[in-house]
Amino acid sequence: MLLDILSWILLCLGGGFVLVGGIGALRMPNFYTRMHAASLTDSTGSILIVVGVMCQAGLSLATIKLLTILIFLLLTGPTATYALANAALLSGMKPQADTDEGRSSS
Amino acid sequence: MYFTVSLAILVTMVLAVIRALKGPSVYDRVLAVNMFGTKTALLLSVVAFLYGRPDFLDLALIYALINFVGVLAVLEFFQKRSAAQGHTTKD
Amino acid sequence: MNDQVNKGVENFLMLLALLILAWLLWSGIYKLLLLGLGAFSCLLCFYIAYRIGFFKRASGLRLIPSLPKYWFALLIDIIKSSIDVAKIVLNPKLPISPVVVEIDAMSKGSIGHAILGNAITLSPGTVTLDVHNGRLRVHCLTRKSADELLAGEINRRTSLLTHD
């Protein structure tokens, strides 16, 4: 019962964070700031949702699978984000100049 | 409650698709696609419990890995292409 | 030379334990045929690991026992900074003040740099843009997150993790 309530809270919080991250990815003015919003859904959203589902699964093989999914997501997510940011930086996208421009236009 | 969470994830996926369609640069689109992929892995693991079918967890695992490799491959492609273009314009 | 052999054996045992555990926990079916297939795929993994020179160098696998403590501290960081970022996104005025800062990694070696860079990217509000010769270029969403990063808490924790 207590576990049910806990997992309910975690799942709702996770859904909320994922939604906020999605809104942020639309609202932010330029590429580098959008990346922060995407990392919000990537790290916090996945942690909360997967842990919430894990509370429902109880002690079983499913929990271990969920744990590995979480670890994979948390290991590969930042690596993909770094590769993306580095590629954008190398292609000549200036973070500082772009942000000033984006802020003044929005 | 699984339904609510999957709805939230689905709405976020729609937002990511909008960003992918709007995104001014290639990198915005790749970012949106990456977001879409990780959200798919999350959605699959929630749906596994919504329908009571734990087999879906394997799919989520595979999807997370394929998404990662796919994003890296796409970035490699664009980096090579932009490097080649920079080279030809310089010459 | 002796030290190198020791490192190789350590890597070998760690990888073996990891692979066997992964196979047994994921398949969940303990028949002779499937166990044989598991042994075969372990051998294949070892061949690939040998080809890429995994046993010649010190690997990140020796850090696994001390990782849970690090992850717990990182989790608290992530929760704190994600609440900040969520507030910023939901604020109608969108009060962002992006800055790019450069920090020096305290930990030596590429594994330490990789862990530090990924930890910084993982916590919302800060994204690693570039890692070069132990110098990290980090894009921060607000001045506050940049100040927190420059205070060096994550940096110190990572160097503690890799030097143990």
Side-chain angles (χ1 to χ4, degrees):
Chain A
M1 190 59 207
L2 199 69
L3 215 59
D4 268 356
I5 295 170
L6 184 69
S7 84
W8 208 87
I9 293 170
L10 284 173
L11 280 173
C12 283
L13 272 178
F17 268 111
V18 165
L19 210 56
V20 167
I23 294 167
L26 272 186
R27 278 194 74 195
M28 291 292 186
N30 70 352
F31 169 70
Y32 290 99
T33 46
R34 262 168 227 146
M35 222 152 47
H36 295 291
S39 101
L40 187 69
T41 71
D42 267 6
S43 49
T44 324
S46 28
I47 289 172
L48 287 171
I49 288 179
V50 174
V51 173
V53 176
M54 251 154 75
C55 288
Q56 287 284 315
L59 274 180
S60 63
L61 282 184
T63 311
I64 293 161
K65 271 181 196 162
L66 281 169
L67 192 68
T68 48
I69 290 173
L70 183 62
I71 290 176
F72 271 172
L73 280 178
L74 291 185
L75 283 182
T76 57
T79 316
T81 310
Y82 168 70
L84 188 61
N86 208 3
L89 193 73
L90 288 180
S91 81
M93 211 185 241
K94 291 276 185 305
Q96 202 64 54
D98 267 16
T99 39
D100 287 335
E101 195 184 284
R103 216 168 17 171
S104 57
S105 71
S106 69
Chain B
M1 76 183 166
Y2 291 131
F3 186 74
T4 334
V5 177
S6 27
L7 204 67
I9 298 174
L10 277 173
V11 171
T12 309
M13 283 161 93
V14 171
L15 293 177
V17 169
I18 294 173
R19 178 39 79 198
L21 290 175
K22 264 174 74 177
S25 70
V26 173
Y27 300 103
D28 283 294
R29 292 174 213 270
V30 177
L31 179 72
V33 169
N34 183 24
M35 219 170 113
F36 190 85
T38 48
K39 293 298 96 56
T40 311
L42 277 185
L43 183 69
L44 275 172
S45 48
V46 174
V47 162
F49 281 79
L50 179 65
Y51 292 125
R53 290 174 65 177
D55 323 354
F56 275 33
L57 291 180
D58 297 331
L59 299 183
L61 197 61
I62 297 299
Y63 208 95
L65 285 177
I66 287 180
N67 176 46
F68 173 60
V69 175
V71 166
L72 287 192
V74 167
L75 282 177
E76 186 77 3
F77 172 71
F78 279 119
Q79 230 163 359
K80 277 220 179 91
R81 203 184 64 168
S82 68
Q85 271 175 354
H87 209 70
T88 47
T89 47
K90 238 181 248 169
D91 281 347
Chain C
M1 189 62 212
N2 201 5
D3 192 43
Q4 216 170 19
V5 170
N6 271 342
K7 260 179 198 159
V9 171
E10 199 183 287
N11 279 350
F12 178 83
L13 289 178
M14 282 292 226
L15 192 62
L16 186 69
L18 205 67
L19 287 175
I20 287 178
L21 212 67
W23 182 275
L24 290 181
L25 289 179
W26 277 341
S27 85
I29 305 166
Y30 307 110
K31 282 184 197 150
L32 199 60
L33 173 70
L34 281 169
L35 291 181
L37 284 176
F40 176 71
S41 58
C42 278
L43 275 179
L44 206 65
C45 285
F46 272 114
Y47 174 65
I48 294 170
Y50 176 74
R51 275 290 301 271
I52 63 172
F54 183 76
F55 301 116
K56 283 179 196 149
R57 275 170 272 139
S59 77
L61 289 182
R62 82 196 152 80
L63 298 177
I64 286 179
S66 46
L67 270 181
K69 201 177 142 204
Y70 183 75
W71 280 349
F72 185 71
L74 189 62
L75 181 70
I76 291 171
D77 259 18
I78 288 175
I79 291 169
K80 267 193 217 152
S81 53
S82 59
I83 289 171
D84 285 349
V85 174
K87 269 186 200 156
I88 289 168
V89 169
L90 290 179
N91 194 325
K93 273 187 252 155
L94 209 64
I96 54 171
S97 49
V99 274
V100 177
V101 294
E102 293 204 354
I103 57 170
D104 282 313
M106 281 182 198
S107 52
K108 308 273 182 295
S110 48
I111 295 167
H113 297 162
I115 291 178
L116 179 62
N118 274 0
I120 288 174
T121 308
L122 201 56
S123 48
T126 46
V127 169
T128 314
L129 294 180
D130 197 23
V131 183
H132 188 69
N133 288 339
R135 214 170 158 69
L136 283 84
R137 207 191 285 177
V138 184
H139 186 275
C140 304
L141 188 59
T142 58
R143 192 113 270 299
K144 190 174 153 248
S145 56
D147 289 342
E148 263 167 39
L149 188 69
L150 287 174
E153 184 57 39
I154 284 188
N155 208 345
R156 238 187 324 271
R157 235 185 282 131
T158 312
S159 80
L160 260 167
L161 174 80
T162 47
H163 278 278
D164 268 349

